[in-house]
């Protein structure tokens, strides 16, 4: 395999993740202005934040099955165009119901994206390189937003919140064309060529037996619960964080964009540190239990420090604890490596879908829960909730995941939960 091809594919993935998260989080930048323009309450804004995850979560398992069956080169541009069109329409709506519908559409079409990313890395990179590869593309959600938060704030300042959505969507459509013409499957030499035999072997038809297995294995539930808890911290930063800075800490639009970028930068360094250190430990002969679990467990422990922001007043101190917590979230964000390491080879897409389905439920529950918790303008209970869940996730990796090794396929001896 040509090393240059591998890293070119990784660059394509990185940019795709940046665009993916831009279209998820532009709503948080625009939230205050949408609420003022459409006369929405904090609870109604919580529903809008949550709406993305209703369909994003519901489509994870079907989306994972699609990923196992459809060529990446075709699938990725299709979903990119679809969610980008839904993003553009958000800039045209005039009611709560229409905004909720658009967010549901974005969530539905983004659902297969991360199982697709994981499938690409599994096919292109050897096991000893996967944590680094996952760290690089995952870092796109952090470094992209660290740079994009101020830029999105400026775009909104110039073109309004409606223009923000329209410009974001047009960028996604342009990138879909780039992806189709630039990406190749492993072993594919030209546009008309067939998949290599090895890749064809990895395509899997939907199976209820496989679904039942993916939803009853104890080891898999360990990483699913961890993903839910990790996602709870992430979804706070992707939705309510700018509002927390603007309304609870009293910053204006441009200052919010600047201060919001700092924790995302910390998370970027966290995920890169985690990925490259994890692979380095594997190459040095350390076990997967130590090399893969340690960054995730330490990261979730650090994420719990978000609670400390409740007990300081200066923006420097608040930013320090929020950045430390998000750095921890970045450290733990290589947890996708567990999907490629423990899932049966023919079920990587399905297990990735289940993993992201449970994780996506955090984006259903957390925005609405925070909306209720902050009705009186006090964000302290919200930060207690986020920090507590991070510690639950740490316990899940400590006590449920066990040995980090590929699980036997259905029909062989497996450890399952009672159902």
């Amino acid at each position: 395999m040509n090393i240059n091809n591998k890293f070119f594919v990784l660059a394509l993935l990185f940019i795709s993740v940046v665009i993916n998260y831009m279209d998820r989080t532009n709503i948080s930048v625009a939230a205050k202005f949408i609420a003022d323009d459409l006369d929405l309450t904090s609870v109604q804004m919580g529903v809008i934040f949550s709406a993305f995850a209703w369909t994003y979560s519901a489509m994870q398992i079907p989306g994972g099955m699609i990923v196992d069956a459809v060529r990446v080169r075709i699938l990725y541009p299709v979903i990119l165009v679809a969610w980008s069109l839904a993003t553009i329409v958000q800039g045209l709506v005039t009611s709560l119901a229409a905004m909720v519908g658009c967010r549901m559409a974005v969530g539905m079409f983004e659902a297969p994206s991360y199982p697709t990313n994981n499938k690409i890395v599994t096919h292109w990179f050897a096991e000893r390189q996967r944590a680094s590869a996952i760290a690089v593309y995952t870092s796109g959600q952090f470094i992209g937003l660290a740079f994009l938060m101020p830029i999105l704030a400026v775009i909104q300042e110039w073109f309004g919140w409606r223009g923000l959505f329209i410009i974001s969507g047009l960028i996604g459509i342009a990138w879909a064309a780039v992806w189709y013409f630039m990406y190749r499957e492993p072993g594919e030499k030209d546009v008309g060529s067939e998949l290599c035999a090895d890749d064809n072997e990895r395509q899997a038809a939907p199976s209820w037996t496989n679904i039942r297995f993916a939803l009853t294995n104890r080891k898999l539930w360990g990483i699913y619960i961890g993903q839910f808890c990790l996602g709870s911290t992430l979804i706070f930063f992707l939705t309510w964080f700018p509002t927390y800075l603007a309304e609870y800490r009293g910053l204006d639009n441009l200052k919010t964009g600047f201060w919001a970028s700092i924790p995302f930068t910390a998370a970027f360094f966290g995920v890169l540190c985690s990925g490259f250190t994890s692979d380095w430990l594997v190459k040095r002969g350390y076990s997967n239990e130590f090399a893969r679990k340690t960054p995730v467990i330490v990261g979730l422990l650090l994420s719990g420090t978000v609670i400390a922001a409740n007990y300081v007043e200066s923006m420097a101190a608040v930013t320090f604890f929020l950045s430390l917590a998000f750095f921890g979230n970045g450290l733990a964000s290589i947890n996708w490596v567990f999907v490629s390491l423990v899932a049966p080879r023919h079920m990587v897409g399905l297990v990735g879908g289940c993993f992201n389905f449970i994780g996506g439920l955090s984006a259903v529950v957390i925005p609405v829960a925070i909306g209720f918790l902050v009705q009186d303008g006090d964000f302290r209970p919200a930060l207690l909730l986020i920090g507590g869940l991070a510690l639950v996730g740490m316990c899940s990796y400590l006590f449920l995941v066990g040995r980090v090794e590929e699980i036997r396929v259905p029909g062989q001896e497996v450890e399952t939960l009672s159902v």
Side-chain angles (χ1 to χ4, degrees), residues 267-350:
F268 164 73
F269 285 110
V271 71
L272 288 184
C273 175
S274 178
F276 286 101
T277 300
S278 179
D279 278 349
W280 180 81
L281 290 171
V282 169
K283 292 172 186 175
R284 298 279 292 181
Y286 289 91
S287 68
N288 276 335
E289 283 70 46
F290 182 80
R292 305 308 193 189
K293 278 187 178 181
T294 301
V296 174
I297 291 169
V298 172
L300 286 164
L301 179 62
L302 290 177
S303 292
T305 63
V306 71
I307 297 170
N310 284 340
Y311 304 102
V312 294
E313 295 299 328
S314 74
M315 273 308 303
V318 169
T319 303
F320 170 78
F321 285 115
L322 291 172
S323 298
L324 181 62
F326 216 18
F327 174 82
N329 191 264
L331 276 180
S333 291
I334 63 160
N335 60 343
W336 268 100
V337 75
F338 291 96
V339 175
S340 65
L341 292 176
V342 306
R345 189 68 171 176
H346 64 291
M347 293 169 56
V348 170
L350 174 59

Side-chain angles (χ1 to χ4, degrees), residues 22-36:
M22 175 181 68
D23 290 335
R24 295 190 197 194
T25 58
N26 48 20
I27 188 77
S28 68
V29 176
K32 183 177 184 298
F33 300 92
I34 293 172
D36 292 342

